[in-house]
Amino acid sequence: MRLLERMRKEWFMIGIVLAIAGAKLEPSIGVNGGPLKPEITVSYIAVATIFFNSGLSLKTEELTSALVHIRLHLFIQIFTLAFFPATIWLFLQILSVTPVNEWLLKGLQTVGCMPPPVSSAVILTKAVGGNEAAAIFNSAFGSFLGIIITPLLLLLFIVRRYIKDWLERTKPPFGAVSSSVLLMIIYTTFCGTFSNPSIDLDKLSLVVILFIIFSIQLSFMLLTFIFSTRNNSGFTPADTVAIIFCSTHKSLTLGIPMLKIVFAGHEHLSLISVPLLIYHPVQILLGSVLVPTIKSWMVSRQKGVKLTRPTV
């Protein structure tokens, strides 16, 4: 199952590259009024499909099992939806005086405002052996908070309750559906960019944004590690693993449709989307690289706790 999930993510990354390349080669197909009619298929059908699919795939019954860890949940949600965007905003005040493309900087701010993903944070937490229940709760609950203004999600929770048995029996390919629709959104978004000759993205800005995203990821992972391992934190090593991944990961699946809604018709939408498109593979890459190190730390800490317990 883990191998299939990894392969799906790798193919999705390839799909993103192909979608952008295809938009560059023939942007007329995906522009408004073109054969794909993105003003209808993307703005309404694709976005609705993403939210509908996400709502059905959330196993809301699993959230209650981790509900009692209130302190852990508060830490993750406050860090993700308050500290993260506020810190990015302060950082961008400094970068605003640099020659970095202003729309990429705005896109970086939108990354900070995004909810956590339901998949990657849980998968990496499970790979390390951390608190998977807490990861499931905070990823799903964080995603819910991210689109709480969307009444559709409330409807999805109700729908899932009535078709729960069918979902568990058939196991629909939620991941494949979301990925396919998401690639269509990315393709049409960049078609609009490449068909507009007035939009220019300099390579220096792109390199700077890439460096900033790597730095943000590593810094915030280190910061959450330091905060959650203090003597009076009250968190176990397994909790720390869930905190590291859930607090620093951002959702591409929900993020792109949100940007499509908030910045509908904006000529710089694709530039605003670039930081999120970069952040997604970076968080998976860094997470995968750090899994052995974090797992080794967690195991050693757990052994240390067992050794220091008094024998009866």
Side-chain angles (χ1 to χ4, degrees):
M1 182 65 70
R2 193 176 302 170
L3 177 61
L4 290 175
E5 182 66 22
R6 189 194 313 169
M7 290 177 62
R8 186 181 70 80
K9 288 184 179 296
E10 289 175 353
W11 278 109
F12 180 63
M13 298 303 172
I14 295 173
I16 290 178
V17 174
L18 292 177
I20 296 175
K24 175 67 174 177
L25 292 173
E26 193 56 60
S28 61
I29 296 177
V31 297
N32 286 349
L36 283 182
K37 300 293 182 184
E39 64 272 21
I40 299 175
T41 58
V42 172
S43 299
Y44 297 101
I45 300 175
V47 172
T49 301
I50 286 285
F51 286 128
F52 186 77
N53 192 63
S54 297
L56 289 180
S57 62
L58 287 179
K59 297 183 178 180
T60 52
E61 62 273 7
E62 292 183 1
L63 305 186
T64 57
S65 65
L67 188 60
V68 294
H69 301 290
I70 297 177
R71 182 170 178 167
L72 173 63
H73 307 325
L74 283 176
F75 180 95
I76 293 176
Q77 297 305 325
I78 291 174
F79 190 97
T80 303
L81 299 174
F83 179 83
F84 200 124
T87 303
I88 296 296
W89 180 82
L90 290 173
F91 184 51
L92 291 182
Q93 302 313 300
I94 301 173
L95 289 177
S96 62
V97 298
T98 66
V100 179
N101 188 288
E102 64 171 312
W103 298 106
L104 287 180
L105 295 181
K106 290 182 185 297
L108 198 57
Q109 182 64 76
T110 65
V111 170
C113 298
M114 290 300 160
V118 179
S119 56
S120 61
V122 175
I123 292 169
L124 290 171
T125 300
K126 185 176 181 179
V128 174
N131 191 335
E132 185 182 356
I136 291 173
F137 176 88
N138 284 281
S139 295
F141 187 61
S143 297
F144 172 75
L145 288 179
I147 54 176
I148 197 168
I149 60 172
T150 308
L152 178 61
L153 189 59
L154 296 176
L155 174 63
L156 297 178
F157 283 117
I158 296 172
V159 170
R160 192 180 200 284
R161 185 189 311 169
Y162 288 106
I163 61 174
K164 173 185 172 183
D165 293 338
W166 178 82
L167 290 173
E168 292 180 350
R169 185 173 63 256
T170 59
K171 299 186 184 305
F174 292 118
V177 172
S178 291
S179 297
S180 300
V181 176
L182 201 55
L183 288 175
M184 179 183 176
I185 295 175
I186 293 170
Y187 171 72
T188 56
T189 297
F190 277 87
C191 280
T193 297
F194 295 132
S195 64
N196 189 342
S198 64
I199 296 179
D200 182 36
L201 176 60
D202 59 290
K203 294 180 181 179
L204 176 61
S205 294
L206 197 59
V207 171
V208 171
I209 289 295
L210 181 61
F211 175 77
I212 290 172
I213 287 175
F214 265 99
S215 301
I216 288 173
Q217 272 275 298
L218 287 173
S219 300
F220 281 6
M221 290 179 80
L222 179 61
L223 195 60
T224 53
F225 176 80
I226 294 173
F227 283 162
S228 61
T229 54
R230 294 178 301 169
N231 291 332
N232 61 344
S233 68
F235 299 129
T236 66
D239 291 339
T240 295
V241 173
I243 287 172
I244 290 173
F245 291 126
C246 292
S247 298
T248 59
H249 281 212
K250 295 295 182 177
S251 175
L252 178 68
T253 304
L254 296 179
I256 291 297
M258 285 182 188
L259 293 181
K260 196 72 177 179
I261 293 172
V262 175
F263 297 97
H266 201 294
E267 64 174 347
H268 293 99
L269 172 60
S270 60
L271 295 185
I272 296 173
S273 305
V274 165
L276 183 57
L277 291 172
I278 295 175
Y279 196 94
H280 180 72
V282 167
Q283 69 187 13
I284 295 174
L285 175 63
L286 285 179
S288 301
V289 169
L290 292 174
V291 160
T293 303
I294 297 175
K295 187 172 185 177
S296 177
W297 168 83
M298 189 191 73
V299 171
S300 63
R301 283 293 299 269
Q302 289 176 332
K303 288 181 178 178
V305 171
K306 290 179 181 179
L307 291 174
T308 55
R309 285 179 181 172
T311 55
V312 179

